[in-house]
């Protein structure tokens, strides 16, 4: 039985696929649903996380150049959020569909699954692919192995549409991101003797100051043409969490935090990490001068490539034709589109809903936006049916 886009979204949202939890029941269901319409789905089971898998499928002529519709299956947690209705039950109120993932991004996933089944049953002259990832919300770590796994299995796809909420605008650029975890190991003594101890929290302060100074210096730089498209028009560094110490009168033995960079296209994220590493090495040599057992350990956290606006990009041309939107849009958040682009695809971000509603309590997508996504898929199907 064929489900409507709304029925599909309702089904997808009923699976509480918070990033830390399994997405296999959702993947099982999608695989079964596609199979019931004669579509073979392939999965990439994550060997390091047996409770997670990505899924991809191809419909239409077995040839290269398929339009690829891609979304992530994971959602952010609802912990500590005050919801007016069950987050995992789609609820319609005031012209909106409420539920965790309606906007980010099971609404698009549902539309993509719907389009794939329609392409199969109507018959298309040009192929369509679906790619559903996981672990997007924890640093876009699920898409790269999925993209790699697709290569030997499916004919190489052409334009990729990553349906993150963009109000159906064609987003051709976004910042990249890279992060480093920082673990400072100090030397514990009674704080009355702090001159012979190393307080890991206080030793971390120069690194936090380095982050602040970097933001000020970047803000005051003249932006290049690519950077100028963004708000703010420069690379930013951020520390969102910190922990350390055990008592007010003991020099902190450890301090943990992570620094992340949002890097404008055209700048090398690794160069920012290298600069931070240099600052960390300076801190390490300073504290080791006080006590040799102290150190600063850095470890890679995540890396998301920027989406660089393409010259005459196939994905951009396609979504502009389908939406009629010819303006330039870039966003400051990372998506899997940069990862597809890095793997050699032409990629854009274009999906229903407003990013402002993502991750919020009472997350919603307006019915108008959901229907706009549906209309987009209808136009795409009509195009794939043409000779
Ligand atoms: Zn998302």
């Amino acid at each position: 039985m064929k489900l409507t886009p709304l029925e599909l979204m309702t089904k997808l949202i009923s699976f509480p696929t918070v990033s830390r939890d399994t997405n296999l029941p959702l993947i099982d269901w999608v695989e079964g649903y596609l199979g019931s319409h004669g579509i073979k789905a392939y999965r990439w089971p994550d060997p390091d996380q047996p409770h997670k898998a990505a899924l991809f499928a191809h419909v239409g002529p077995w040839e290269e150049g398929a339009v690829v519709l891609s979304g992530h299956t994971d959602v952010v947690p609802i912990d500590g959020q005050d919801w007016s209705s069950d987050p995992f039950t789609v609820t319609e109120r005031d012209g909106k569909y409420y539920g965790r993932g309606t906007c980010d991004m099971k609404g698009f996933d549902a539309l993509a699954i719907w389009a794939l089944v329609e392409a199969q049953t109507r018959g298309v002259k040009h192929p369509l692919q679906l790619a559903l990832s996981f672990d997007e919300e924890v640093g876009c770590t699920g898409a790269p192995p999925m993209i790699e796994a697709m290569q030997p299995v499916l004919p190489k796809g052409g334009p990729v549409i990553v349906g993150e909420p963009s109000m159906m605008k064609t987003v051709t650029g976004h910042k990249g991101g890279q992060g480093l975890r920082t673990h400072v190991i100090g030397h514990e003594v009674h704080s009355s003797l702090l001159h012979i101890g190393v307080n890991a929290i206080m030793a971390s302060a120069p690194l936090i100051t380095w982050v602040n100074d970097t933001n000020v210096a970047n803000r005051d730089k003249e932006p290049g043409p690519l950077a100028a498209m963004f708000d703010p028009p420069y690379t930013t560094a951020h520390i969102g969490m910190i922990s350390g110490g055990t008592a007010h009168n003991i020099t902190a033995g450890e301090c943990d935090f992570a620094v992340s960079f949002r890097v404008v296209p055209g700048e090398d994220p690794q160069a920012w990490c290298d600069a931070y590493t240099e600052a960390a090495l300076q801190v390490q040599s300073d504290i080791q001068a006080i006590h040799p057992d102290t150190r600063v350990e850095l470890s890679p956290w995540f890396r998301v490539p920027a989406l660089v606006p393409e010259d005459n990009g196939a994905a951009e041309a396609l979504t502009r034709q389908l939406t009629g939107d010819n303006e330039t849009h870039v966003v400051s958040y990372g998506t899997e589109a940069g990862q597809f682009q890095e793997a050699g695809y032409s990629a854009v971000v274009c999906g229903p809903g407003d990013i402002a509603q993502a991750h919020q309590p009472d997350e919603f997508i307006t019915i108008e936006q959901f229907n706009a996504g549906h209309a987009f898929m209808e136009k795409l199907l009509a195009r794939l049916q043409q000779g």
Side-chain angles (χ1 to χ4, degrees):
M1 192 185 70
K2 273 207 242 179
L3 299 184
T4 65
L6 177 57
E7 287 166 339
L8 283 164
M9 176 168 75
T10 302
K11 188 70 195 176
L12 297 181
I13 284 176
S14 73
F15 299 103
T17 51
V18 174
S19 308
R20 63 179 174 236
D21 299 324
T22 181
N23 76 337
L24 292 184
L26 182 151
I27 293 294
D28 288 344
W29 184 85
V30 174
E31 189 174 29
Y33 180 71
L34 294 177
S36 75
H37 295 286
I39 303 170
K40 170 152 180 56
Y42 302 83
R43 32 170 107 193
W44 182 75
D46 185 343
D48 299 326
Q49 302 183 94
H51 59 300
K52 293 178 186 176
L55 178 144
F56 45 87
H58 177 106
V59 158
W62 194 255
E63 60 189 33
E64 295 195 352
V67 173
V68 184
L69 301 175
S70 183
H72 59 83
T73 59
D74 58 319
V75 294
V76 294
I78 53 161
D79 307 40
Q81 293 189 341
D82 191 14
W83 282 72
S84 311
S85 53
D86 176 16
F88 300 108
T89 304
V90 173
T91 309
E92 183 186 332
R93 291 193 302 276
D94 314 322
K96 297 163 185 162
Y97 298 128
Y98 289 88
R100 172 55 88 223
T102 45
C103 171
D104 184 15
M105 58 181 292
K106 289 176 171 174
F108 179 85
D109 294 344
L111 291 163
I113 292 166
W114 177 84
L116 204 75
V117 170
E118 288 301 312
Q120 171 81 353
T121 53
R122 294 182 196 183
V124 284
K125 296 201 172 78
H126 301 285
L128 182 66
Q129 292 181 357
L130 171 74
L132 296 177
S133 72
F134 59 92
D135 279 0
E136 193 273 348
E137 299 290 6
V138 289
C140 293
T141 51
M146 172 187 75
I147 295 167
E148 206 183 312
M150 288 167 72
Q151 306 308 317
V153 177
L154 301 185
K156 176 88 178 189
V160 178
I161 302 168
V162 174
E164 290 282 349
S166 75
M167 297 296 283
M168 297 312 299
K169 305 285 187 215
T170 296
V171 172
T172 56
H174 64 62
K175 292 184 180 181
Q178 193 157 340
L180 282 171
R181 296 184 198 280
T182 307
H183 181 54
V184 179
I185 296 159
H187 179 63
E188 286 189 339
V189 294
H190 191 276
S191 58
S192 62
L193 298 170
L194 65 83
H195 62 294
I196 58 163
V198 172
N199 182 317
I201 296 172
M202 293 164 75
S204 299
L207 292 175
I208 298 169
T209 298
W210 183 92
V211 165
N212 283 327
D213 291 349
T214 296
N215 287 329
V216 170
N218 285 351
R219 184 195 66 197
D220 292 345
K221 262 191 320 207
E222 189 64 35
L226 276 176
M229 299 166 77
F230 289 87
D231 179 23
Y234 53 87
T235 293
T236 55
H238 184 247
I239 296 168
M241 288 195 297
I242 189 165
S243 67
T246 52
H248 75 94
N249 56 0
I250 302 173
T251 57
E254 293 182 83
C255 184
D256 285 286
F257 55 96
V259 59
S260 57
F261 296 93
R262 289 184 186 273
V263 181
V264 292
E267 289 182 9
D268 178 10
Q270 187 57 47
W272 288 109
C273 288
D274 290 349
Y276 177 78
T277 301
E278 207 170 299
L281 286 171
Q282 180 60 51
V283 167
Q284 177 167 270
S285 86
D286 292 348
I287 59 178
Q288 286 183 342
I290 301 167
H291 198 285
D293 291 345
T294 61
R295 61 190 184 276
V296 180
E297 292 174 348
L298 302 181
S299 54
W301 174 20
F302 70 91
R303 191 188 77 86
V304 184
L307 178 66
V308 185
E310 301 166 11
D311 290 327
N312 303 312
E316 176 180 351
L318 174 66
T319 54
R320 290 203 188 288
Q321 280 168 14
L322 297 177
T323 61
D325 168 41
N326 282 316
E327 285 170 33
T328 301
H329 307 278
V330 298
V331 293
S332 283
Y333 52 88
T335 77
E336 297 172 340
Q339 296 171 319
F340 274 101
Q341 189 181 60
E342 194 173 58
Y345 293 79
S346 171
V348 292
V349 177
C350 184
D354 187 337
I355 192 70
Q357 272 91 54
H359 303 192
Q360 298 292 312
D362 285 344
E363 175 181 345
F364 66 82
I365 189 168
T366 65
I367 295 176
E368 183 270 331
Q369 271 295 300
F370 190 65
N371 291 345
H374 188 180
F376 175 91
M377 294 300 176
E378 282 285 9
K379 283 189 186 158
L380 173 62
L381 287 165
R383 208 184 136 95
L384 297 174
Q385 287 176 286
Q386 284 163 17

